[in-house]
Amino acid sequence: SASSLAFLPQPLRPTEDDWAKMLAAHVHLGTKNLDNKMIPYIWKRRSDGLYIINLAKTWEKLMLAARIVVAIENPADVCVISARPYGQRAVLKFGQYTGANYMAGRYTPGTFTNQIQQQFQEPRLLVITDPRTDSQPLKESSFVNIPTVAFCDTDSPLRFVDVAIPANNKGKQSIGLLYWLMAREVLRLRNVIPRQHPWDIMVDMFFYRDPEEAEKEAEAAAEEAKAIEAPTEAFGGVAPGGFGEVPAGSADWAQPGTQEWGAAPAAGQEWGAGDATAAAPGTWDQPAGFGGP
């Protein structure tokens, strides 16, 4: 695959890290069905029936699509659409970093053709995730002559598609990586980020996240925060049995005593007989044991 991209300029050629990312995200894995017009993009067929996509063709079309996006003067005139849930976060992040307009979820029919509609738009370029799930905006783009770029799997129909990017458009890692690669190349061509340094935005930001998994992660983070705060509260005397709690029955050292340490003993009293004197009945003038009334 690398030798087939020798015609590309050196800055546009993929690095070893780019090849590794595409293989790890299964961008090259197609389906068991093959459309007649997708034959030029197929490398071979596995023993289990899956068609393998030529990643050199995928990279070549990605660079072409990025150059088309950069050719649009106003970034807001580029519309990115994904009805597939796995691509909704990817199109949102693509629009955030490139300035393109995005539509995630259900597409309202007539957005490109019905001028009376409140959400009417006239984009100059359309980028869709799947020609089959996004068939309605693809069909309307043909009515108003909007050029279309689409991520196409081995079984995707290519009617009304102007630039087909052969790739796996059914996996969440694959879709996120494709939009991340295209957004990075768009920013490089606009000279927003340098080509010599890696992009500081992680590819994980473009991946789909299950809402239930996100809630579980948030709850786990909250429990960890509570566990970290608990010892601090105990040290400050809030929790029972902490360092700041005074044990029951213990005397307060700051409380002044009834007798000074330096005071002389009373008349007729020995230093060692304090406890016996305090326990026996009588007065200070008449100690116990020396007679009585």
Side-chain angles (χ1 to χ4, degrees), residues 31-209:
T31 62
K32 294 185 178 181
N33 300 324
L34 178 63
D35 189 83
N36 186 33
K37 294 184 179 180
M38 289 293 295
I39 294 178
Y41 304 114
I42 302 302
W43 180 51
K44 71 172 187 178
R45 188 178 188 181
R46 289 196 322 194
S47 58
D48 58 354
L50 282 178
Y51 287 96
I52 305 299
I53 299 173
N54 190 348
L55 289 181
K57 299 285 186 180
T58 302
W59 184 265
E60 178 184 349
K61 289 301 187 73
L62 268 176
M63 297 299 102
L64 176 61
R67 294 172 64 184
I68 294 174
V69 173
V70 174
I72 306 298
E73 294 84 359
N74 185 10
D77 287 339
V78 179
C79 185
V80 189
I81 297 178
S82 175
R84 189 183 295 273
Y86 285 172
Q88 293 179 5
R89 189 180 185 189
V91 299
L92 188 148
K93 294 296 182 180
F94 182 85
Q96 175 184 351
Y97 293 113
T98 63
N101 186 17
Y102 60 88
M103 295 183 186
R106 182 182 180 274
Y107 171 82
T108 304
T111 303
F112 298 153
T113 56
N114 188 3
Q115 299 181 3
I116 305 176
Q117 191 174 6
Q118 186 178 3
Q119 300 177 354
F120 176 72
Q121 297 182 13
E122 291 181 302
R124 295 186 57 189
L125 179 65
L126 181 64
V127 180
I128 60 177
T129 306
D130 190 353
R132 181 168 280 108
T133 57
D134 301 321
S135 60
Q136 183 65 27
L138 181 61
K139 185 177 181 181
E140 291 185 9
S141 67
S142 66
F143 295 157
V144 292
N145 297 328
I146 300 176
T148 303
V149 177
F151 294 104
C152 300
D153 212 331
T154 58
D155 59 347
S156 299
L158 297 186
R159 191 180 183 187
F160 304 136
V161 176
D162 297 292
V163 178
I165 303 176
N168 177 13
N169 60 8
K170 296 176 175 58
K172 57 183 178 180
Q173 287 86 5
S174 176
I175 295 175
L177 178 63
L178 291 170
Y179 275 106
W180 182 81
L181 289 172
M182 191 161 64
R184 185 188 66 175
E185 187 61 29
V186 167
L187 296 179
R188 284 178 174 178
L189 292 174
R190 290 177 180 170
N191 204 16
V192 176
I193 58 177
R195 193 174 290 273
Q196 294 78 13
H197 303 286
W199 194 19
D200 56 355
I201 302 299
M202 298 291 293
V203 67
D204 300 358
M205 298 293 294
F206 286 69
F207 288 168
Y208 169 79
R209 294 185 63 187

Side-chain angles (χ1 to χ4, degrees), residues 222-240 242-243:
E223 292 178 359
E224 291 180 0
K226 291 181 180 179
I228 295 174
E229 293 175 358
T232 306
E233 295 177 354
F235 185 79
V238 178
F243 291 99

Side-chain angles (χ1 to χ4, degrees), residues 6-45:
F7 66 94
L8 285 177
Q10 184 63 34
L12 296 181
R13 296 178 186 176
T15 62
E16 294 296 332
D17 186 59
D18 295 334
W19 291 120
K21 280 187 172 65
M22 287 191 289
L23 290 174
H26 302 295
V27 176
H28 61 292
L29 295 182
T31 62
K32 294 185 178 181
N33 300 324
L34 178 63
D35 189 83
N36 186 33
K37 294 184 179 180
M38 289 293 295
I39 294 178
Y41 304 114
I42 302 302
W43 180 51
K44 71 172 187 178
R45 188 178 188 181

Side-chain angles (χ1 to χ4, degrees), residues 240-281:
F243 291 99
E245 184 179 355
V246 179
S250 61
D252 191 356
W253 292 98
Q255 184 178 359
T258 57
Q259 183 179 5
E260 296 294 335
W261 287 96
Q269 181 183 10
E270 298 293 334
W271 284 100
D275 296 338
T277 305

